[in-house]
Amino acid sequence: MNVQRAAHHYLSGPVVPVDVPALCAMVADAHAAARARGWRFRFVDADPFPSFGAMLASLPSGRPGDLIVYAGGSAGILPPSVNLLARALHDVDHVVARAPFGLDGELATARLAAARAPALADWFAAEIVGQAAAFLSTGSFPVQRGAVRGMARFL
């Protein structure tokens, strides 16, 4: 994937409407399913892990357990409480896919999320890959834009 092209598309591509209530319901359902598989979440105000290895080391053999999730910066298009649940699911995807922090790991987690809800592929590609690419290109974390038309082609 070309990081510069993905960043440019994320930052300047056309934003498309997203059915926020449907997205919130999908996140809530996926969160309930994760909890049923044994995941528990504790939200903290500081980034809890300096590395993916540290995240894995905090879990019993990388299986479901108590996952500490960074709660900062949760304001955006989704209600903050739903954004926190989405962030927790994203961290579960890192563990399940053994996807390290960094662009390759973000690609892997975005692919998992898009596979769960193909109609929201542009949303997940923008929120996960687009933001990561923009950060790598500009050195700062971009403002959340939402679904960017055509962003899923970077998955």
Side-chain angles (χ1 to χ4, degrees), residues 9-23:
H9 190 77
Y10 174 74
L11 294 170
S12 63
V15 175
V16 295
V18 173
D19 184 345
V20 173
L23 180 58

Side-chain angles (χ1 to χ4, degrees), residues 2 13 20 40-41 67 77-79 81 87 102 104 115 121 129 134 148-149:
N2 183 305
V20 173
R40 293 174 304 281
F41 306 101
L67 187 58
I77 294 167
L78 298 177
S81 61
R87 185 173 290 174
D104 289 341
V129 175
V148 177
R149 180 174 287 122

Side-chain angles (χ1 to χ4, degrees), residues 4-147:
Q4 297 298 325
R5 285 160 97 188
H8 177 75
H9 190 77
Y10 174 74
L11 294 170
S12 63
V15 175
V16 295
V18 173
D19 184 345
V20 173
L23 180 58
C24 290
M26 187 277 308
V27 168
D29 290 347
H31 185 264
R35 289 189 55 83
R37 289 190 314 272
W39 289 102
R40 293 174 304 281
F41 306 101
R42 182 166 52 99
F43 297 95
V44 298
D45 292 330
D47 195 347
F49 302 113
S51 68
F52 177 65
M55 176 191 272
L56 280 182
S58 75
L59 296 167
S61 302
R63 292 189 314 266
D66 294 318
L67 187 58
I68 302 168
V69 179
Y70 174 55
S74 291
I77 294 167
L78 298 177
S81 61
V82 175
N83 203 28
L84 286 175
L85 300 181
R87 185 173 290 174
L89 293 170
H90 176 72
D91 286 355
V92 166
D93 285 346
H94 272 287
V95 174
V96 169
R98 295 295 192 263
F101 301 152
L103 190 58
D104 289 341
E106 298 310 312
L107 274 165
T109 61
R111 288 174 180 142
L112 280 176
R116 276 195 300 269
L120 297 169
D122 279 334
W123 169 271
F124 290 117
E127 287 296 293
I128 300 169
V129 175
Q131 287 187 17
F135 175 79
L136 290 171
S137 294
T138 66
S140 61
F141 199 74
V143 172
Q144 186 180 36
R145 296 193 70 216

